[in-house]
Amino acid sequence: MRLPSHAVKMLAVAALPLALAACSSTSADSAGSTPTAATASKSKDPDAGLLTGTQLKKALAPASYFPAGFAADRSLARDTGDTYQAPATKNAAKPHCADLAATSWIGLTGVEGVSFAQNSYIDKDTSAELDQEIDVYRGTTAADVLKDLANVVAACPSYTDSDTQSKVTVTGASTAGLGDAAYTITLTDDAWESGTTLIASRAGTAVVSVLSTDGADNGAASAKKLAKQVVASVKSSGGAAGQG
């Protein structure tokens, strides 16, 4: 956090208290800025109080959380570091539905936040996958992102799996008990051994998104468990502040 510098002028205060008071008043007026105005200016920072990518990285579930056999895929780990990126909203054209099965699937809403962190863990024996991501947005945008997921599902009732050339069915529903709000998307395909579960959960200005193919229940139980873990971590990091 930035802290204001403090200039100590004890000798000047002792020698010329009245002159200093008059000079200070004139300086504030001529500069057009007072401590109150400076504080107000800082409060207008749209990213003030939002978690950075570095902080979000620490909020992701650690390696010790994942079951034996799972290892991090370092090529899929990334974050925005200590700086913020400009938020963006993409053209609301039909989403590329196949990206529902990819990391960063939350991006299908077309809205980009100001910071994020993500990584993926894969079981080398079964190829089961557990992905986790946290995105932070300004204002009430996080709530809008959750609502937009229903639109994504409506636009993508199905798509073709490029590997098996088979039809993937997409279903979605609001989910209770995870953060301030949550939405679950399930992908199923007769050509797959098991389906995929995606869960997005809002915690204040942050949206936690997970993907799981781990388990015979389309990854539902492991996805919910991971979502709970990361949402709790975001809240303990102060990321749930700013929205109810």
Side-chain angles (χ1 to χ4, degrees), residues 84-104:
Y84 297 100
Q85 61 185 13
T89 301
K90 300 176 183 177
N91 191 333
K94 179 177 171 61
H96 186 247
C97 301
D99 285 347
L100 282 167
T103 58
S104 297

Side-chain angles (χ1 to χ4, degrees), residues 183-194:
Y183 194 86
T184 299
I185 299 174
T186 305
L187 312 178
T188 56
D189 186 329
D190 290 340
W192 297 349
E193 291 184 10
S194 181

Side-chain angles (χ1 to χ4, degrees), residues 196-213:
T196 302
T197 295
L198 319 174
I199 300 178
S201 310
R202 183 173 72 82
T205 56
V207 173
V208 172
S209 55
V210 303
L211 178 154
S212 173
T213 63

Side-chain angles (χ1 to χ4, degrees), residues 31-128:
S33 176
T34 65
T36 300
T39 301
S41 177
K42 288 183 180 180
S43 68
K44 293 180 181 179
D45 180 356
D47 299 324
L50 299 180
L51 295 178
T52 65
T54 299
Q55 292 171 311
L56 295 174
K57 182 179 179 180
K58 295 177 181 178
L60 294 173
S64 58
Y65 165 88
F66 295 90
F70 279 84
D73 184 336
R74 298 186 183 280
S75 68
L76 298 177
R78 52 182 64 86
D79 62 80
T80 47
D82 291 325
T83 60
Y84 297 100
Q85 61 185 13
T89 301
K90 300 176 183 177
N91 191 333
K94 179 177 171 61
H96 186 247
C97 301
D99 285 347
L100 282 167
T103 58
S104 297
W105 56 270
I106 195 70
L108 286 171
T109 60
V111 182
E112 294 181 358
V114 297
S115 60
F116 76 90
Q118 68 179 75
N119 61 32
S120 299
Y121 283 77
I122 299 174
D123 187 312
K124 63 180 184 300
D125 295 324
T126 66
S127 297

Side-chain angles (χ1 to χ4, degrees), residues 82-173:
D82 291 325
T83 60
Y84 297 100
Q85 61 185 13
T89 301
K90 300 176 183 177
N91 191 333
K94 179 177 171 61
H96 186 247
C97 301
D99 285 347
L100 282 167
T103 58
S104 297
W105 56 270
I106 195 70
L108 286 171
T109 60
V111 182
E112 294 181 358
V114 297
S115 60
F116 76 90
Q118 68 179 75
N119 61 32
S120 299
Y121 283 77
I122 299 174
D123 187 312
K124 63 180 184 300
D125 295 324
T126 66
S127 297
E129 184 175 350
L130 287 168
D131 302 334
Q132 55 180 340
E133 179 173 345
I134 313 169
D135 293 82
V136 168
Y137 306 85
R138 293 176 180 172
T140 60
T141 304
D144 295 332
V145 169
L146 259 291
K147 295 176 183 176
D148 288 343
L149 285 175
N151 297 330
V152 172
V153 171
C156 297
S158 64
Y159 66 88
T160 300
D161 180 2
S162 60
D163 292 330
T164 60
Q165 294 302 309
S166 54
K167 179 182 177 181
V168 180
T169 300
V170 180
T171 59

